[in-house]
């Protein structure tokens, strides 16, 4: 028999009626039948792809979900059929709704349009966001920051709701686990979340601790995951994950703590999976004797025996329950088989939240009315400034303010203004990240906001990039509009799983049934001699990913207007600033409540001889080059795209049709860079006359970029690794 742990266990009695216990048994039968059917259909090829079966662990899902209220939320894992099954049964108000729930589950696994996610998520990404199931994730541990962010949202909204966040023993060795549990324990004195580890003893093929096959590996030197709770200052408890009533007891106590504001609990459910990690797993890492011992404690058998022993049910009643569950899954399977596949015309649906075209047109018109004055002031700022970056002295700024009646500010102040205005306008806007509060941000981009809005809206976190971005995503899915700051874009590589697989993909994977309105602010670029880990320009990496907007403002005016627009947008936005621009550029920043619509470029300087596309710090270098060449009678059109996704290719293409020449300027690395993407879109662009962008090119495009080497620390080398004003001038002369 499996060893019983001597570690702490959940106390207390649970009073459960016969009707409830019979329903728990039915749910477990439904999940088991579902999984056995899925296994058969996988072997037949009717269900495609990977599927990680939950059979054997049913007591955990059913026992824990039984303690939830309708307002509560779950975050699931790649082995999430049981969680989705139990959650759907919980919310089903009648037999028809229950059958519909299982129909949608089976249809989703078959990739059918009638599935919960319209066939886009499948087994590993099944979700019912509308009923509080925030979905599964195919990345081990990837859901734990999402669940933590959801709990943050519920606490900020004061809903009284609790989040159950499920994961396996394998996830407890990932960074996301440690970052998220620490965050759940520390933020706002503890978040209303219960972390439920389904310790089925194996992370794919590696035993967590004890080994029946001595040739197998080992994932941990400790046997009880609950012991790790003490590292985060939260309670850890262990329960028998094969007994639905024991799970119910443990989770009830944890939920009660969370609702009372006492923070998270780590509940470890000792359980076992009947099947392998996936359908192709031969389970050579464990013995058949071990499997037989665990199957003696089948959760369905355990509950059935309890009902018989306590004379709460007869064997006939148990058989009737089992037959009813079998029929439910048979009907669900037939429903799924009869359902259509999604039409391929729907391939691009729900990648982004649709744009309100009428509002966009109004926003473009509103900006067009003020832009001439802004450009006039920016031109005068450049004429006064001594270098390529338009930085003015305090006296010069005051003089221009008096002349034009518009405040002159630096880039960093513009970002603070944008966040302040949006936080005043919308109580759901929060800021979270490292050093954003008392310290005011590493580059002062949140200075003063902590004093104004307090610790519940400007939230200092531990150094936990993955948890910060993931929690922002989870909070966004639950009605908050977070601004998550990641100090350097280099650190986004740590958080890329969360940004890409959750923030970027969740809306699409979950059938368009959710929005993730989160802004991730970060900064990049050279200029401070801090070498390769703090100076990269990685925008092209994230430009590659569908589902994420990428915004890169160049001027203070743009910084404020674009950030305000990003905060209001319902899509996830990666908002990339440049470290040299914070205090290195000044310009007009109206006090008005203005936004700059995303996806609308700005023609910074008109010309006829060549089109230069530049953004961020390189925009100022391009403007300096254009001003210098104008003295020679060469008139360059300089366009700042402002947002790289969505890209205003219309404005770029029309400019190239006029000039016949294209030069792109970026600090990013050359391979697969932003310049190449702009050129690709231009080549494919179709004009109303039937010609393409390629047809209007009179010369091969030139793509200036950073050098193909890591960023060096030494100042002369750093200067040489990105385009200079002289490089841009030479490229323009060459192409003309």
């Amino acid at each position: 028999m499996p060893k019983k742990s001597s570690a702490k266990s959940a106390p207390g009695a649970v009073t459960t009626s016969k009707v409830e216990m019979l329903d728990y048994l039915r749910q477990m039968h439904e999940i088991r039948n579902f999984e056995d059917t899925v296994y058969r259909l996988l072997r037949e090829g009717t269900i495609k792809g990977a599927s990680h079966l939950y059979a054997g662990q049913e007591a955990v899902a059913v026992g824990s979900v039984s303690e939830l209220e309708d307002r509560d939320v779950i975050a699931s894992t790649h082995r999430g059929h049981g969680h989705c099954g139990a959650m759907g049964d919980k919310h089903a108000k009648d037999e028809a709704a229950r059958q519909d729930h299982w129909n949608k589950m089976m249809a989703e696994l078959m990739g059918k349009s009638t599935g919960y996610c319209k066939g886009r998520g499948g087994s590993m990404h099944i979700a019912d966001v509308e009923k509080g199931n925030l979905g599964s994730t195919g990345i081990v541990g990837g859901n734990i920051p999402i669940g933590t962010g959801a709990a943050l949202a519920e606490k900020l909204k004061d809903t009284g709701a609790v989040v159950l966040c499920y994961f396996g023993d394998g996830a407890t060795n990932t960074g996301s686990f440690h970052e998220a549990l620490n965050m759940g324990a520390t933020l706002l004195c503890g978040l209303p979340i219960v972390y439920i580890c389904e310790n089925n003893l194996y992370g794919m093929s590696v035993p967590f601790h004890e080994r029946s096959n001595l040739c197998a590996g080992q994932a941990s030197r400790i046997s009880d995951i609950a012991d790790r709770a003490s590292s985060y200052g939260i309670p850890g408890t262990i329960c028998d994950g094969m007994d639905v009533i024991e799970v119910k007891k443990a989770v009830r106590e944890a939920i009660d703590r969370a609702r009372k504001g006492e923070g998270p609990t780590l509940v470890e459910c000792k359980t076992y999976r009947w099947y392998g990690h996936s359908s192709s797993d031969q389970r050579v890492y464990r013995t058949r004797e071990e499997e037989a011992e665990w199957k003696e404690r089948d959760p369905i058998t355990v509950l059935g025996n309890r009902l018989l022993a306590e004379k709460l049910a007869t064997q006939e009643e148990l058989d009737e329950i089992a037959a009813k569950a079998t029929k439910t899954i048979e009907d669900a399977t037939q429903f799924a088989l009869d359902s259509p596949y999604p039409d391929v015309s729907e391939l691009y649906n729900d990648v982004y939240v649709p744009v309100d075209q009428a509002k966009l047109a109004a926003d473009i018109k509103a900006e067009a009315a003020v832009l001439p004055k802004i450009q006039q002031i920016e031109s005068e700022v450049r004429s006064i400034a001594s270098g390529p970056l338009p930085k003015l002295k305090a006296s010069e700024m005051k003089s221009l303010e008096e002349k034009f009646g518009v405040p002159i500010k630096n880039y960093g102040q513009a970002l603070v203004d944008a966040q302040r205005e949006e936080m005043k306008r919308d109580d759901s806007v929060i800021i979270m990240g490292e050093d954003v509060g008392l310290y005011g941000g590493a580059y002062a981009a949140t200075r003063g906001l902590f004093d104004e809005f307090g610790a519940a809206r400007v939230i200092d976190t531990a150094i936990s990039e993955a948890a910060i971005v993931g929690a922002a995503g989870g909070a966004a899915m639950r009605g908050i509009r977070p601004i998550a700051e990641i100090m350097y874009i280099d650190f986004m590589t740590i958080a890329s799983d969360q940004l890409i697989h959750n923030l970027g993909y969740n809306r699409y994977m979950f059938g368009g049934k959710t929005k993730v309105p989160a802004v991730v602010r970060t900064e990049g670029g050279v200029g401070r001699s801090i070498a390769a880990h703090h100076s990269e320009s990685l925008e092209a990496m994230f430009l590659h990913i569908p589902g994420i907007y990428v915004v890169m403002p160049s001027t203070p005016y743009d910084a404020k207007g674009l950030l305000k627009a990003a905060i209001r947008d319902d899509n996830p936005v990666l908002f990339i600033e440049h470290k040299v621009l914070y205090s290195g550029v000044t310009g007009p920043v109206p006090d008005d409540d203005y936004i700059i619509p995303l996806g609308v470029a700005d023609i910074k300087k008109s010309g006829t001889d060549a089109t230069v596309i530049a953004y961020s710090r390189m925009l100022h270098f391009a403007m300096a080059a254009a001003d210098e060449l104008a003295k020679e009678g060469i008139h360059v059109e300089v366009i700042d795209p402002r947002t790289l996704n969505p890209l205003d290719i219309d404005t770029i293409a029309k400019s190239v049709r006029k000039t016949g020449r294209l030069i792109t300027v970026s600090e990013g690395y050359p391979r697969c860079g932003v310049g190449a993407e702009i050129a690709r879109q231009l080549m494919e662009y179709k004009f109303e006359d039937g010609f393409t962008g390629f047809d209007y090119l009179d010369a091969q495009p030139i793509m200036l970029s950073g050098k193909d080497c890591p960023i060096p620390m030494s100042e002369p080398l750093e200067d040489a690794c990105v385009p200079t004003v002289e490089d841009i001038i030479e490229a323009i002369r060459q192409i003309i």
Side-chain angles (χ1 to χ4, degrees):
M1 292 290 291
K3 291 185 179 178
K4 293 214 176 211
S5 173
S6 60
K8 46 226 170 279
S9 59
V14 170
T15 302
T16 307
S17 70
K18 172 182 176 178
V19 171
E20 289 173 317
M21 293 178 76
L22 286 175
D23 191 61
Y24 301 159
L25 185 64
R26 179 180 171 185
Q27 288 184 55
M28 289 195 290
H29 272 298
E30 287 169 342
I31 295 169
R32 179 69 57 82
N33 270 280
F34 184 89
E35 297 298 66
D36 289 344
T37 302
V38 168
Y39 181 76
R40 174 176 59 80
L41 295 173
L42 280 165
R43 305 285 286 188
E44 293 175 0
T46 304
I47 290 178
K48 308 291 184 182
S51 197
H52 305 84
L53 301 178
Y54 196 77
Q57 302 179 204
E58 295 88 352
V60 181
V62 174
S64 57
V65 168
S66 73
E67 286 297 313
L68 295 182
E69 300 174 1
D70 284 352
R71 59 182 169 170
D72 295 327
V73 179
I74 69 168
S76 185
T77 75
H78 62 283
R79 199 178 306 282
H81 304 166
H83 312 138
C84 188
M87 196 69 168
D89 279 348
K90 175 78 176 178
H91 283 272
K93 303 305 180 187
D94 54 36
E95 287 295 322
R98 191 171 190 142
Q99 184 65 58
D100 182 62
H101 155 59
W102 287 104
N103 290 352
K104 289 178 178 176
M105 278 194 64
M106 189 62 81
E108 184 59 35
L109 265 70
M110 290 191 194
K112 299 299 185 71
S113 62
T114 53
Y116 267 125
C117 307
K118 304 178 185 177
R120 296 182 191 155
S123 172
M124 289 189 288
H125 314 110
I126 196 165
D128 184 11
V129 179
E130 295 161 329
K131 296 263 180 24
N133 179 356
L134 296 186
S136 308
T137 174
I139 308 297
V140 173
N143 66 307
I144 313 179
I146 292 291
T148 303
L152 172 62
E154 301 308 324
K155 183 151 190 174
L156 290 170
K157 294 187 297 180
D158 195 25
T159 63
V162 168
V163 178
L164 299 187
C165 183
Y166 299 95
F167 47 90
D169 51 282
T172 65
N173 292 320
T174 68
S176 292
F177 168 82
H178 298 286
E179 289 188 20
L181 263 70
N182 187 61
M183 178 174 281
T186 56
L187 287 196
L188 307 183
C189 301
L191 301 179
I193 184 168
V194 181
Y195 296 106
I196 300 178
C197 177
E198 297 180 275
N199 186 355
N200 62 27
L201 310 186
Y202 293 91
M204 194 167 176
S205 69
V206 179
F208 184 75
H209 179 69
E210 295 178 357
R211 296 173 286 181
S212 61
N213 182 339
L214 296 181
C215 294
Q218 187 182 56
S220 173
R221 292 296 300 274
I222 62 170
S223 60
D224 297 326
I225 291 164
D227 290 345
R228 294 185 175 180
S230 62
S231 300
Y232 315 109
I234 63 175
T237 187
I238 295 172
C239 70
D240 181 356
M242 309 303 276
D243 188 328
V244 68
I245 302 302
E246 292 302 309
V247 172
K248 186 177 175 71
K249 286 180 187 177
V251 174
R252 173 180 291 184
E253 182 181 357
I255 287 176
D256 287 346
R257 286 192 71 256
R259 288 207 207 280
K260 289 188 290 187
E262 296 176 5
T265 302
L266 173 59
V267 177
E268 179 184 3
C269 303
K270 302 281 192 181
T271 185
Y272 203 78
R273 53 172 162 82
W274 281 187
Y275 292 101
H277 171 71
S278 61
S279 60
S280 60
D281 182 356
Q282 299 302 307
R283 313 193 304 280
V284 297
Y285 44 84
R286 65 192 196 191
T287 64
R288 296 300 176 257
E289 291 77 14
E290 175 190 320
E291 291 182 347
E293 287 183 0
W294 274 96
K295 286 195 175 184
E296 290 178 13
R297 288 199 32 82
D298 186 309
I300 292 174
T301 303
V302 169
L303 181 56
N305 288 343
R306 183 193 292 263
L307 287 164
L308 293 173
E310 297 178 6
K311 299 190 183 328
L312 291 173
T314 65
Q315 186 61 52
E316 290 74 18
E317 287 176 304
L318 300 188
D319 292 344
E320 183 182 345
I321 288 289
K324 188 179 290 188
T326 299
K327 180 68 164 57
T328 297
I329 303 308
E330 286 176 348
D331 289 351
T333 303
Q334 192 60 52
F335 170 85
L337 289 169
D338 294 341
S339 293
Y341 285 104
D343 193 288
V344 294
S345 65
E346 301 172 3
L347 179 64
Y348 294 109
N349 290 5
D350 304 316
V351 177
Y352 302 96
V353 177
V355 174
D356 183 333
Q357 294 297 331
K359 183 179 183 303
L360 176 61
D363 290 341
I364 292 173
K365 183 177 179 181
E367 198 210 357
V370 302
L371 202 51
K373 183 174 182 179
I374 295 297
Q375 291 179 335
Q376 180 187 4
I377 302 171
E378 288 180 342
S379 178
E380 189 148 346
V381 170
R382 286 197 307 276
S383 70
I384 298 171
S386 57
L389 294 182
K391 182 177 181 179
L392 301 184
K393 300 174 183 176
S395 59
E396 294 168 333
M397 293 167 65
K398 183 178 180 181
S399 176
L400 285 183
E401 286 178 349
E402 292 173 350
K403 179 177 179 179
F404 291 102
V406 177
I408 307 297
K409 300 183 179 182
N410 67 33
Y411 188 94
Q413 290 169 329
L415 294 168
V416 173
D417 287 354
Q419 293 171 100
R420 175 182 290 113
E421 289 178 15
E422 291 305 298
M423 293 179 80
K424 285 182 176 180
R425 190 185 70 85
D426 184 350
D427 289 341
S428 71
V429 178
I430 66 167
I431 297 171
M432 59 187 298
E434 300 159 14
D435 304 313
V436 297
L438 283 170
Y439 192 72
Y443 289 94
T446 56
R447 181 168 293 171
L449 299 178
F450 180 87
D451 294 335
E452 188 169 351
F453 296 99
R457 294 191 65 196
V458 184
I459 305 171
D460 277 322
T461 71
I463 297 173
S464 308
E465 283 80 11
I468 293 166
V469 173
M477 291 175 70
R478 295 299 296 171
I480 297 297
R481 289 188 176 270
I483 308 165
E485 180 179 307
I486 299 299
M487 200 176 291
Y488 293 91
I489 196 170
D490 318 71
F491 305 165
M492 283 300 305
T493 56
I494 303 169
S496 60
D497 167 37
Q498 296 297 323
L499 179 67
I500 296 169
H501 297 125
N502 291 326
L503 277 69
Y505 292 175
N506 274 5
R507 174 175 171 78
Y508 186 81
M509 284 197 312
F510 299 159
K513 296 179 182 178
T514 190
K515 297 176 181 177
V516 192
V519 175
V520 180
R521 282 187 47 250
T522 189
E523 63 78 29
V526 304
R528 290 191 59 233
S529 296
I530 46 180
H533 293 178
H534 291 72
S535 305
E536 293 171 292
S537 295
L538 300 179
E539 58 271 15
M541 178 187 298
F542 299 103
L543 186 60
H544 182 68
I545 305 301
I548 303 169
Y549 282 172
V550 180
V551 180
M552 294 191 71
S554 308
T555 68
Y557 168 76
D558 289 347
K560 177 182 173 182
L562 290 170
L563 183 53
K564 286 168 67 69
I567 294 167
R568 297 183 193 184
D569 201 275
D570 285 333
N571 293 288
V573 179
L574 181 61
F575 195 91
I576 307 173
E577 301 142 17
H578 196 292
K579 61 173 61 66
V580 170
L581 299 185
Y582 288 113
S583 59
V585 297
T586 48
V589 183
D591 287 330
D592 304 336
D593 178 22
Y594 71 93
I595 68 163
I596 296 172
L598 305 183
V600 180
D602 183 13
I603 301 175
K604 295 290 187 182
K605 187 179 183 67
S606 295
T608 56
D609 295 327
T611 298
V612 176
I613 312 297
Y615 58 92
S616 194
R617 187 177 76 137
M618 289 292 106
L619 179 276
H620 302 288
F621 284 29
M623 293 295 287
D627 288 343
E628 186 64 29
L629 287 169
K631 300 173 185 176
E632 304 175 14
I634 298 173
H635 301 290
V636 177
E637 185 144 294
V638 180
I639 298 177
D640 183 354
R642 304 198 285 197
T643 63
L644 301 180
N645 183 32
L647 180 70
D648 185 358
I649 193 62
D650 289 348
T651 296
I652 294 170
K654 289 171 185 175
S655 176
V656 172
R657 179 164 62 174
K658 176 175 61 174
T659 68
R661 295 166 177 84
L662 173 68
I663 298 167
T664 65
V665 191
S666 167
E667 282 192 25
Y669 299 127
R671 284 177 287 176
C672 308
V674 173
E677 174 58 19
I678 292 172
R680 180 192 71 82
Q681 291 196 34
L682 172 68
M683 302 296 185
E684 297 175 357
Y685 186 86
K686 285 187 171 55
F687 291 97
E688 69 285 349
D689 58 9
F691 288 96
T692 66
F694 174 80
D695 295 321
Y696 284 102
L697 283 171
D698 296 330
Q700 178 180 322
I702 294 176
M703 287 165 274
L704 295 177
S705 66
K707 302 301 187 291
D708 195 15
C709 65
I711 309 299
M713 173 269 168
S714 178
E715 187 173 22
L717 294 177
E718 183 184 45
D719 289 343
C721 77
V722 296
T724 63
V725 174
E726 291 72 24
D727 291 334
I728 300 171
I729 290 172
E730 179 58 30
I732 295 169
R733 286 177 174 153
Q734 176 185 334
I735 204 171
I736 291 176

